[in-house]
Amino acid sequence: MNIANLPTIETLSIALQKIKGLFLRLPSPDYLMGFQQWLNDRIADWDKTALRIGLVGITSAGKSTFVNALAGEDILPRGAQPTSGLLVVCRKSSPRRLQIFFKNSNKTEFLEDDCTPEWVKRYADEQENPGNEQNVKEIQLSLPTLMIPERYDLIDSPGLDAFGLQGHEELTLRTLVPMVDVVLFLTTTKSTSDRENLKALSKICKEAKPVIVIQTHKDAVEPRYAKGGKIVETVEEVLSKHYQRVRQLLDQSIVLKDASVIQVSSIQALHARLDSPEANLEEVSAWQESGFSQITHVLAELYEKLSQNIAVKRIALLCKEVQQMMERVRADYNMARGKFKEAEEYKEGELARLEELQNAIPAEKTPDFPDAEAIQNQIIAIKEYFLAELRTRSESTLEALSMEVRDKIKTLETEFFAKADKVDAKLQEIASNLGIDVDAIHADEQHYPSLPELQRYERLVQVQMIHEAGMVGRAKRIFGRILNKDQWGYKEKEIIQT
């Protein structure tokens, strides 16, 4: 089908207006009240739904600096370790506002001048909020200067290798990628990141979401020299090789072969914004050279394509609901004309449809439904086994223990995800039959699920006695030998195994 012939958001708007116009000719204002309410709810949902950009990548890719460059300020702490399981949602809107949503449904808000990097760091930095002890669910930032097209939400998550925890990568991707419309995948220009890139991209590929690959740190690329100082490859040639390397990775997948690859310097872009806060960025050479203007251009193009796909889906839902409304009107018409048999057939058909939907809803006690209690008990058992072995095993066998526990968790995780995927597919089917646009559902203002939170475990391996530095320490050791005080002039050093 030619994309030019597909319905657009404007087509959807016209269709909605025509259907609302039918309400003016109803025999009674209350007639078809259920359909009218459904339509009003859908319009309200669709009006407030923004397209979602998921920002993912390995921690060293510089995601915080990247977001700061888009914002034109150091709003996210650079070089900080992100708090586990915490999403940061950024959008271009006024007024300038920072909202902190907590797991107990409370909310804290900072407006205009009170919306500062210090408050963001207070909740989003692992050093300030270790282990998410403040129970933050989500941070939302509204920034008038954010350089992304309006009607987008930029969702930042902890890096895929955050905290070095096994399983964090897959859990992050499985939680974040399905709920976004576009994936911004940040990687570095270093060839050493290819293996991590391939693993992450293969998981993103399963969701078939549009991907923009961002190669950061292009300002760190240097020319390659031969002996004697002769330039063998210029910076531009080295960058081209980095580009082609990622391009070859993407070309291996039908889903990813059309993905854009953009090389950027976040630092250069941020300095361009800070040095020229009031300037038109299209006229600022440093901003253009940084590569960031390409990002906003590609996102704007994607918005048109994604909006068209969304319009097609919503018009299909609308047509289905209108068809059911017509059948209801036809049944009422038959009843009014004394055609009781035809009216009764409609009623029986509706009851059968409702019963079918009722039976299709996944039940927690069926074998295909993930048994949360059983899984939790298995996790507790694995954790207790791990901690018990950690206390008794020698240091040389800890790596084997780590792999053993990882395999146990992986098996459990695979079983859980297989069942969860079945339940999700069934719920998607039911939502379609009910005329529900799942992508447009928002739970008030907190409409993004929490990411999983994982933990480190540490143990004291040994205590070493080391020399105290300086003349005082040396004197203590001399007198210690004379007075049989073996610990004089020494201090303890604890060796911790993570």
Side-chain angles (χ1 to χ4, degrees):
M1 182 183 291
N2 187 346
I3 193 169
N5 296 327
L6 291 175
T8 64
I9 291 294
E10 288 73 21
T11 312
L12 176 62
S13 178
I14 293 170
L16 289 171
Q17 291 303 318
K18 287 188 175 181
I19 293 172
K20 290 180 75 173
L22 295 175
F23 296 157
L24 301 176
R25 300 198 293 272
L26 294 178
S28 160
D30 294 335
Y31 186 57
L32 300 178
M33 182 56 71
F35 177 78
Q36 293 187 57
Q37 186 61 51
W38 176 90
L39 187 67
N40 290 332
D41 289 345
R42 295 294 77 73
I43 292 173
D45 281 340
W46 295 344
D47 282 345
K48 67 183 180 184
T49 302
L51 293 177
R52 292 155 289 199
I53 306 169
L55 186 60
V56 298
I58 56 176
T59 303
S60 58
K63 293 197 291 99
S64 294
T65 308
F66 178 82
V67 175
N68 289 341
L70 289 173
E73 60 175 304
D74 273 314
I75 190 67
L76 296 186
R78 278 195 265 169
Q81 192 178 54
T83 294
S84 179
L86 188 62
L87 291 177
V88 179
V89 182
C90 305
R91 59 179 60 99
K92 181 184 178 70
S93 66
S94 296
R96 178 185 174 87
R97 179 170 60 183
L98 167 65
Q99 293 174 296
I100 313 295
F101 295 95
F102 298 91
K103 293 179 181 179
N104 61 4
S105 300
N106 289 338
K107 180 178 75 171
T108 297
E109 186 171 273
F110 304 91
L111 287 170
E112 300 297 356
D113 292 342
D114 292 329
C115 174
T116 63
E118 289 73 25
W119 282 118
V120 177
K121 186 176 181 179
R122 170 81 175 272
Y123 298 101
D125 184 359
E126 179 69 13
Q127 187 175 355
E128 298 276 337
N129 183 19
N132 195 15
E133 63 184 14
Q134 299 183 66
N135 289 317
V136 179
K137 179 180 181 182
E138 177 181 312
I139 293 176
Q140 292 189 10
L141 270 168
S142 298
L143 302 168
T145 57
L146 190 67
M147 287 301 294
I148 62 173
E150 293 185 13
R151 302 286 291 173
Y152 270 119
D153 281 354
L154 178 65
I155 308 170
D156 184 23
S157 67
L160 297 182
D161 57 352
F163 316 108
L165 293 168
Q166 295 288 350
H168 192 279
E169 174 182 316
E170 179 154 351
L171 288 169
T172 298
L173 289 171
R174 270 188 166 270
T175 306
L176 181 65
V177 175
M179 72 176 183
V180 301
D181 302 289
V182 184
V183 177
L184 271 185
F185 181 74
L186 263 64
T187 180
T188 66
T189 51
K190 299 175 183 177
S191 58
T192 52
S193 60
D194 281 356
R195 181 172 296 184
E196 289 82 1
N197 292 343
L198 198 56
K199 275 170 49 181
L201 288 169
S202 65
K203 292 182 176 71
I204 293 171
C205 183
K206 292 178 183 178
E207 295 293 333
K209 299 291 176 70
V211 176
I212 304 172
V213 177
I214 309 293
Q215 284 187 306
T216 61
H217 301 123
K218 81 169 187 176
D219 52 289
V221 171
E222 296 179 345
R224 192 164 69 86
Y225 295 93
K227 288 183 179 180
K230 182 180 178 181
I231 294 179
V232 179
E233 288 180 336
T234 65
V235 169
E236 289 74 20
E237 289 171 333
V238 175
L239 283 171
S240 178
K241 279 192 171 182
H242 289 315
Y243 175 90
Q244 292 301 330
R245 194 185 72 251
V246 173
R247 185 76 267 162
Q248 288 171 4
L249 285 177
L250 298 174
D251 288 343
Q252 296 176 33
S253 165
I254 296 175
V255 176
L256 299 176
K257 67 183 181 64
D258 293 328
S260 299
V261 180
I262 302 173
Q263 295 176 325
V264 304
S265 168
S266 299
I267 287 291
Q268 185 180 15
L270 178 58
H271 287 166
R273 299 288 309 275
L274 295 174
D275 294 342
S276 308
E278 304 298 329
N280 179 1
L281 290 177
E282 297 299 322
E283 299 173 358
V284 177
S285 59
W287 174 261
Q288 298 297 321
E289 292 167 6
S290 72
F292 270 68
S293 60
Q294 290 177 259
I295 298 173
T296 54
H297 177 71
V298 171
L299 284 174
E301 285 188 337
L302 264 178
Y303 185 84
E304 295 301 319
K305 181 179 178 181
L306 291 169
S307 296
Q308 196 160 40
N309 293 340
I310 289 170
V312 171
K313 182 177 178 181
R314 290 176 178 175
I315 285 178
L317 284 174
L318 197 60
C319 289
K320 189 170 186 176
E321 205 67 23
V322 168
Q323 183 64 39
Q324 292 178 3
M325 178 194 71
M326 289 170 58
E327 291 174 4
R328 160 81 188 278
V329 171
R330 188 178 293 112
D332 290 344
Y333 177 82
N334 287 331
M335 181 66 75
R337 293 280 179 166
K339 298 181 179 181
F340 301 112
K341 180 181 177 182
E342 290 85 346
E344 193 64 28
E345 286 176 354
Y346 167 78
K347 181 180 177 181
E348 290 174 357
E350 282 295 286
L351 289 173
R353 188 173 75 91
L354 289 173
E355 185 176 358
E356 183 181 348
L357 284 171
Q358 181 76 26
N359 294 334
I361 296 174
E364 291 189 30
K365 298 304 178 184
T366 58
D368 287 339
F369 201 96
D371 188 336
E373 186 176 351
I375 291 172
Q376 188 176 27
N377 290 336
Q378 288 176 276
I379 292 173
I380 291 171
I382 293 172
K383 178 179 176 181
E384 289 175 347
Y385 168 78
F386 172 68
L387 293 176
E389 292 292 311
L390 187 66
R391 287 188 288 270
T392 58
R393 288 203 187 194
S394 64
E395 184 178 355
S396 60
T397 63
L398 287 180
E399 185 174 350
L401 173 63
S402 173
M403 293 179 66
E404 182 184 345
V405 170
R406 182 193 64 189
D407 291 342
K408 288 176 181 288
I409 291 292
K410 187 67 179 176
T411 301
L412 189 60
E413 183 184 272
T414 301
E415 177 188 342
F416 170 78
F417 282 139
K419 291 188 174 182
D421 288 344
K422 282 185 179 180
V423 172
D424 184 62
K426 179 62 70 175
L427 291 176
Q428 291 278 357
E429 181 184 342
I430 293 170
S432 176
N433 288 333
L434 290 173
I436 298 172
D437 186 356
V438 177
D439 293 335
I441 292 177
H442 292 252
D444 297 324
E445 294 175 292
Q446 300 183 59
H447 45 267
Y448 301 112
S450 298
L451 290 175
E453 295 182 19
L454 304 180
Q455 297 176 328
R456 286 178 183 269
Y457 290 96
E458 296 181 342
R459 77 164 185 175
L460 179 64
V461 177
Q462 58 180 302
V463 177
Q464 290 182 348
M465 303 301 294
I466 61 174
H467 291 84
E468 291 184 7
M471 292 295 294
V472 174
R474 191 177 305 164
K476 284 182 179 180
R477 285 190 291 278
I478 293 171
F479 285 107
R481 285 193 290 270
I482 296 171
L483 301 173
N484 292 323
K485 301 292 185 180
D486 295 338
Q487 294 188 352
W488 282 17
Y490 296 89
K491 60 183 178 181
E492 293 183 349
K493 178 183 178 182
E494 293 184 345
I495 308 299
I496 303 295
Q497 176 75 42
T498 302

